[in-house]
Amino acid sequence: MLIDTYGRVATDLRVSLTDRCNLRCTYCMPEEGLQWLAKPDLLTDDEIVRLIEIAVTRLGITEVRFTGGEPLLRPGIVGIVDRVARLTPRPQMSLTTNGIGLKRTAASLKAAGLDRVNVSLDTLRPDVFKALTRRDRLADVLAGLTAAHAADLTPVKVNTVLMPGLNGDEAPDLLAWAIDGGYELRFIEQMPLDAQHGWKRDGMITAGDILASLRTRFTLTPEDSAARGSAPAERWIVDGGPHRVGVIASVTRPFCAACDRTRLTADGQVRTCLFAREETDLRAALREGAGDEAIARIWKLAMWGKKAGSGLDDPSFLQPDRPMSAIGG
C-alpha cells in the first residue's frame, strides 16, 4: 500500500511514456520545444511494464493513466497496454492525449485493453487552435475524438484550459459541442506548468469565471459531493441531465486532501505530486538489479514523504523545475 503521513492512499498511477510532444502549447512549452530526454535515460517498455506490475501487485494500484508529453508518440504503446491488461489483478487503464494520433491508434488500443481516453482540446476555432498550439492540427484532433468514440473508449473526456484573450469566451460553445458529440467536458484552471515560467496568477480564468460563463446559456446543478470521491473534477448536471460538465480548480479550490495519485516520469522517477520539487529514482534501482520487493520499499518510502498540499494556494509558489512534458499530466 502506498500511504502517506496524512493517511492518503495512492491507488491511481500516472505513467509518462515520453517527454516528447507534437504540439507546442503556449501554457506548456516554448515555441522551439525543449531539450528532450536522451533515449538511454528513458525507461524501456520492459521497465515500464515491470514497474506497473510492482505497483499493481504489491502496492495496491488499481488505475493506470498513460500520459506524456504525448503518449501516442511512444512506438511501443499498444504493446505496453496489452501487457498491462494481462496483469492480475487487472487495473483500469486510460490515456491522456492531444488526440492527433487517435484516428490511427484508437481501435488497436481498445483491442489491447485500454478502457478510455482523455483528449486535450482548448478551442473549436482553427485560428485559435493554431495560436495556442503553434500547429494547424485541429482537424486531426477532431478526427481522433470521433475515432475514440467509435472504438468505445468511453466515456471520452475532453480537457480544456481557458486563457484570457485567446479562448476565454468559448466555454458555452465548447459545452454545447461536447453535449452534441457525446463527450464529457472538463475545464481545467491554467496551472504553472510552462517551461518558460510565464504563468501569472493575476488574470487567470478561474473556476468561478468558467461557471459564470456557462450559466449564461445553461442551468447547472451541483452533483452530489459523494459521487466525486477522490476525483479532481467538481461536476455539475447540465439542464437537468443527463449531461455533466466538470471543473478542475487546482489553483483556486485545491483538492489535495483527497489525492490518491502517484506519478512515474518517463525517465523512471517517482513524483508524489505534479508540483513536487523532489523525485525518487526507481530507474537506478531497476538497472542495478534490485528485486521487486526492494523497489516497492523505495516507492513506499517516497510516498510516505508526500506533502500535505501542492502549494498552489500560496502566492509565493515556485514552479517545478521540470515542465509538464517531462513529468506527465
Side-chain angles (χ1 to χ4, degrees):
M1 180 183 296
L2 292 172
I3 189 169
D4 64 33
T5 54
Y6 299 93
R8 297 168 297 192
V9 178
T11 57
D12 184 335
L13 170 62
R14 305 298 169 101
V15 181
S16 175
L17 297 181
T18 178
D19 60 327
R20 297 174 183 266
C21 190
N22 43 12
L23 296 179
R24 297 291 181 269
C25 296
T26 57
Y27 52 78
C28 183
M29 67 174 72
E31 185 172 5
E32 65 274 13
L34 300 166
Q35 183 173 345
W36 308 124
L37 292 167
K39 187 173 182 179
D41 293 335
L42 293 170
L43 293 175
T44 66
D45 291 2
D46 287 344
E47 289 170 336
I48 289 171
V49 173
R50 183 181 170 200
L51 288 174
I52 294 174
E53 182 174 10
I54 291 170
V56 169
T57 62
R58 295 175 180 267
L59 298 173
I61 291 298
T62 59
E63 298 179 52
V64 176
R65 171 84 61 86
F66 297 107
T67 69
E70 172 45 49
L72 295 182
L73 294 179
R74 177 90 186 199
I77 185 172
V78 174
I80 291 171
V81 169
D82 178 72
R83 292 169 66 182
V84 174
R86 297 174 188 273
L87 296 177
T88 302
R90 180 201 186 281
Q92 288 290 305
M93 287 186 292
S94 58
L95 172 79
T96 294
T97 171
N98 62 30
I100 289 176
L102 268 180
K103 182 179 179 180
R104 171 178 51 86
T105 58
S108 57
L109 286 167
K110 179 65 177 182
L114 191 70
D115 295 300
R116 64 172 191 83
V117 294
N118 285 23
V119 179
S120 300
L121 177 63
D122 300 324
T123 179
L124 298 172
R125 303 170 185 166
D127 58 328
V128 177
F129 185 93
K130 188 173 182 179
L132 276 168
T133 68
R134 305 182 178 106
R135 299 291 187 271
D136 189 10
R137 305 296 298 271
L138 177 59
D140 296 315
V141 178
L142 295 175
L145 279 160
T146 299
H149 203 282
D152 197 29
L153 289 169
T154 54
V156 178
K157 296 182 180 181
V158 176
N159 295 340
T160 296
V161 176
L162 296 180
M163 301 179 68
L166 286 169
N167 61 342
D169 62 338
E170 283 196 68
D173 289 342
L174 282 159
L175 181 53
W177 165 83
I179 289 172
D180 185 60
Y183 306 123
E184 183 176 323
L185 183 62
R186 307 191 311 170
F187 293 96
I188 304 175
E189 287 183 335
Q190 185 189 358
M191 295 178 283
L193 293 168
D194 56 313
Q196 58 272 37
H197 291 194
W199 178 83
K200 295 290 186 293
R201 184 181 300 269
D202 294 340
M204 65 170 284
I205 296 176
T206 68
D209 298 329
I210 294 165
L211 293 170
S213 178
L214 292 175
R215 285 184 171 119
T216 63
R217 195 181 306 180
F218 303 94
T219 300
L220 303 182
T221 306
E223 188 177 60
D224 185 346
S225 59
R228 180 181 182 185
S230 61
E234 296 179 78
R235 298 203 307 176
W236 281 261
I237 300 166
V238 181
D239 289 344
H243 301 290
R244 285 163 170 74
V245 64
V247 178
I248 299 177
S250 302
V251 178
T252 61
R253 304 178 190 178
F255 39 84
C256 302
C259 181
D260 64 350
R261 298 179 183 179
T262 184
R263 298 175 181 274
L264 184 65
T265 68
D267 53 350
Q269 311 299 307
V270 170
R271 293 182 72 94
T272 60
C273 173
L274 187 61
F275 301 98
R277 303 188 68 80
E278 304 85 20
E279 297 178 333
T280 300
D281 190 2
L282 295 186
R283 184 189 62 199
L286 275 175
R287 296 181 180 179
E288 290 167 2
D292 289 358
E293 188 55 42
I295 291 170
R297 283 197 300 270
I298 295 170
W299 207 329
K300 287 179 182 178
L301 185 60
M303 293 304 294
W304 184 250
K306 183 173 182 173
K307 295 181 179 178
S310 65
L312 279 175
D313 52 350
D314 182 351
S316 63
F317 172 80
L318 295 175
Q319 291 172 255
D321 295 325
R322 295 218 279 175
M324 181 167 59
S325 61
I327 297 169

